């Protein structure tokens, strides 16, 4: 048995699906995609707000909100622990609601969105990845959820920490 560095063990009474972190294997790819979206949406929103804010303030603020969601999801997903799992879950649920709400609104009332956001048209400008990413993220999160000892595959996430 190898010793783990201090601070990397799951909270007492819980175990992680993976002995390391959720950002291993497929999880590493998902974290990387979220990181790319965090960087690209932050850069896009920052540029739009700094140079063209008066043209479409709602669209640019929605892009900034998307950037914040992607940043939170990326950072929380890269960490381990029950608290990070819940923060990641919350961020991805907000992301999914945002994609569906903004996507629907931008299709139903295109005039209200004179400029695209990351989530306009359900992520059309990004190859619909913003629509698929939270679905993949949610499935991956639930497969890799923290479990209580002895709960088996169907164990619920622990409420501790």
């Amino acid at each position: 048995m190898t010793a783990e560095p201090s601070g990397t063990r799951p909270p007492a009474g819980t175990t992680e699906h993976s002995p390391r972190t959720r950002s291993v294997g497929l999880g590493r790819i998902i974290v990387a995609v979220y990181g790319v979206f965090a960087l690209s949406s932050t850069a896009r929103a920052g540029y739009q707000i700094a140079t063209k804010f008066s043209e479409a303030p709602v669209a640019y603020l929605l892009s900034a909100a998307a950037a914040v969601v992607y940043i939170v999801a990326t950072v929380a997903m890269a960490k381990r622990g029950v608290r990070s799992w819940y923060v990641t879950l919350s961020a991805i649920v907000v992301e999914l609601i945002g994609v569906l709400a903004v996507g629907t609104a931008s299709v139903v009332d295109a005039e209200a969105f004179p400029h695209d956001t990351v989530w306009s048209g359900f992520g059309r400008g990004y190859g619909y990845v913003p629509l698929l990413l939270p679905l993949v993220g949610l499935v991956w999160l639930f497969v890799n959820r923290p479990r209580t000892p002895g709960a088996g595959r169907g164990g619920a996430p622990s409420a501790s920490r």
Side-chain angles (χ1 to χ4, degrees):
M1 179 176 222
T2 58
E4 293 183 76
S6 176
T8 61
R9 282 184 241 136
T14 65
T15 59
E16 294 280 345
H17 177 69
S18 166
R20 292 167 276 168
T21 67
R22 288 183 300 273
S23 60
V24 178
L26 176 60
R28 184 170 288 164
I29 293 169
I30 294 170
V31 170
V33 173
Y34 268 96
V36 167
F37 271 83
L39 290 172
S40 66
S41 59
T42 300
R44 176 183 180 156
Y47 172 78
Q48 291 170 327
I49 289 171
T51 62
K52 308 186 269 185
F53 185 73
S54 62
E55 294 176 23
V58 172
Y60 299 151
L61 290 174
L62 287 170
S63 286
V68 170
V69 170
Y70 287 125
I71 291 167
V72 170
T74 303
V75 171
M77 195 178 295
K79 292 183 175 189
R80 74 185 277 177
V82 175
R83 183 175 297 154
S84 292
W85 187 90
Y86 280 107
V87 171
T88 306
L89 176 65
S90 300
I92 292 176
V93 167
V94 168
E95 173 193 6
L96 181 58
I97 291 168
V99 171
L100 295 175
V102 173
T104 301
S106 65
V107 169
V108 170
D109 187 9
E111 291 177 12
F113 293 87
H115 294 220
D116 279 347
T117 72
V118 175
W119 295 335
S120 292
F122 303 103
R124 166 184 61 236
Y126 290 88
Y128 298 99
V129 172
L131 178 62
L132 298 175
L133 191 57
L135 300 174
V136 170
L138 286 172
V139 169
W140 176 78
L141 263 181
F142 281 102
V143 167
N144 291 285
R145 68 191 176 277
R147 303 183 196 336
T148 57
R153 291 286 301 168
S158 172
S160 66
R161 288 210 326 153

